Amino acid sequence: MANLTLTSSNADLVAGFAWAKAQALAYVYRGDAVGDWYEAALPGREAFCMRDVAHQSTGAQLLGLADCNYNMLRRFAENISASKDWCTYWEINRYNQPCPADYQSDTHFWYNLPANFDLLHCYYRQYLWTGDRRYIDDPTFRFFYDKSVDEYVVRWDRDGDGIPDHLPSDGIRGIGTYNEVVPHPRVGGDLIAAQYGAYLAYASIQELRGEWPVAERFQAKAQALQQLYYNTWWDEAAGRFASFRLQDGTLHAGYHGVPNFFPLYFNLVPAGEHRDCALADVLQNAGPNVEERAYLPELFYQYGQHEAAFAQLTAQLAPTYERREYPEVSFCAIGNMGVGLLGISPDATTRTVTTQPRLTAAVDWVELAHVPVFDTLLTIRHQ
């Protein structure tokens, strides 16, 4: 395990890092039936959930938990099946079983449709950080990738537009968004965004395997999704992209968090006035819960909103932050420092690492040491 350390001119940042590191590592378990893992779900469930793992994995990588990431991600991949309509287990517990809070049988279980796509994008990010060719070549992963971009889409696309969708009769099995408040939207903006990101990741994986025609086909599919979203999901009166397509086919333009900011998170929205409006919308409305707010520091850093990003990051590190014990908070705080504040971006395809300083007036300098990248450790300092 890498001994990641952070030093800085900002004492609150240093203290926040120390808390986040200790809290995240307290959720790491080894030697259980499921293998080496870390908690990525509601505390007390002794489990890890697809969405949470996809989001926590970068922080885990920075903390030297690449082995846990690989084991947990492979557990999801190996459990995709036709009997679950090409879903996998939404949540797996330490006993290597589907978490009973979410799963009764292959015909009755909780599932959010963005998850396969979100996870596929995560697998490729882990390859970029580690250079671990198993993410590219392992037949178990390849089976998951192939089924997620093909049979999974075909099974859940009921209106023929190439996008999975939810029907009320699906119940909790096949929810069309990560948003769990609005009842039965057909498709969320977050689903399209994750599918777009997955298609690009899948294309990149196929390039690494020398499958150029397949890569080109999925690059084209991603571009088609981007055009569809840009041309048909914008609501001129509301001045934002719609959050959902409802069951009657109409678009709902209210702000609901993840369906509104995932298109930015996955770079679905091209540069221009519409993207500026979408970003301003998120800056103003943020996220409704602790899980969604954990995405915001990285998102704001990604789009040059360094002051807003640092404000979100430090708020989430504060001892008074509500539900700070939720595992996603500490893991993603570490990820947001590395990927966000220091702008670390490894690329195993070229064996290069780029960084970008994103300091504000509150931080004269910051140094992150023992950063695990590929098969080495780096120290990165910005001032």
Side-chain angles (χ1 to χ4, degrees), residues 13-343:
L13 183 63
V14 173
F17 171 86
W19 166 80
K21 177 182 175 180
Q23 180 68 84
L25 293 179
Y27 286 125
V28 178
Y29 301 90
R30 299 189 180 277
D32 287 330
V34 77
D36 295 342
W37 66 287
Y38 53 82
E39 207 150 1
L42 287 168
R45 283 194 177 176
E46 299 184 327
F48 49 94
C49 165
M50 293 178 75
R51 185 200 62 79
D52 298 55
V53 173
H55 194 207
Q56 292 177 214
S57 60
T58 299
Q61 165 65 23
L62 285 162
L63 289 168
L65 301 174
D67 59 332
C68 292
N69 276 338
Y70 174 80
N71 176 58
M72 296 158 70
L73 293 171
R74 199 175 192 281
R75 292 299 184 189
F76 288 124
E78 70 188 14
N79 282 295
I80 193 172
S81 67
S83 62
K84 295 192 290 294
D85 292 320
W86 303 112
C87 300
T88 179
Y89 293 136
W90 171 251
E91 196 169 355
I92 300 173
N93 65 22
R94 69 189 311 161
Y95 308 106
N96 199 24
Q97 298 171 347
C99 185
D102 297 316
Y103 177 90
Q104 293 182 21
S105 70
D106 278 6
T107 59
H108 187 88
F109 57 90
W110 180 283
Y111 213 78
N112 301 73
L113 291 176
N116 280 41
F117 303 132
D118 197 5
L119 209 62
L120 199 163
H121 191 268
C122 169
Y123 290 132
Y124 182 60
R125 292 199 312 273
Q126 283 302 298
Y127 168 72
L128 293 179
W129 271 91
T130 64
D132 188 341
R133 285 287 307 195
R134 292 178 296 179
Y135 287 111
I136 307 302
D137 300 325
D138 186 320
T140 299
F141 285 120
R142 287 168 49 193
F143 186 79
F144 179 87
Y145 304 157
D146 293 344
K147 297 304 180 184
S148 293
V149 300
D150 192 349
E151 282 93 334
Y152 180 72
V153 176
V154 172
R155 160 59 184 89
W156 292 98
D157 174 21
R158 270 69 74 90
D159 58 10
D161 65 353
I163 301 167
D165 46 68
H166 170 80
L167 299 180
S169 58
D170 296 329
I172 61 172
R173 189 181 185 272
I175 303 167
T177 172
Y178 277 148
N179 180 287
E180 298 172 357
V181 176
V182 177
H184 299 301
R186 192 175 186 96
V187 179
D190 52 324
L191 173 53
I192 300 175
Q195 187 176 1
Y196 170 80
Y199 280 176
L200 290 180
Y202 184 74
S204 296
I205 290 168
Q206 295 308 311
E207 285 182 352
L208 289 166
R209 300 192 63 249
E211 300 289 347
W212 305 107
V214 179
E216 291 174 1
R217 182 158 59 91
F218 278 89
Q219 287 167 353
K221 281 178 171 284
Q223 292 169 3
L225 277 177
Q226 184 178 56
Q227 288 299 311
L228 182 151
Y229 181 78
Y230 188 82
N231 292 331
T232 64
W233 278 61
W234 178 257
D235 188 302
E236 192 64 40
R240 65 162 61 103
F241 288 100
S243 49
F244 305 113
R245 185 173 294 283
L246 303 178
Q247 290 298 326
D248 64 3
T250 60
L251 291 171
H252 175 66
Y255 185 89
H256 291 281
V258 66
N260 300 91
F261 69 68
F262 250 40
L264 294 171
Y265 182 75
F266 281 102
N267 295 302
L268 176 63
V269 185
E273 182 180 354
H274 288 359
R275 191 175 78 180
D276 293 343
C277 290
L279 180 59
D281 209 16
V282 182
L283 285 163
Q284 179 178 345
N285 294 295
N289 54 47
V290 70
E291 296 92 334
E292 294 190 16
R293 288 193 294 273
Y295 290 92
L296 297 182
E298 180 185 350
L299 178 67
F300 292 156
Y301 279 125
Q302 179 181 343
Y303 287 96
Q305 301 294 321
H306 300 165
E307 295 284 353
F310 190 70
Q312 280 284 342
L313 176 59
T314 52
Q316 292 170 27
L317 292 170
T320 55
Y321 190 62
E322 188 176 358
R323 292 184 67 206
R324 190 169 76 142
E325 74 283 357
Y326 193 81
E328 194 168 0
V329 177
S330 52
F331 276 93
C332 292
I334 298 295
N336 287 328
M337 292 178 198
V339 174
L341 181 62
L342 284 95

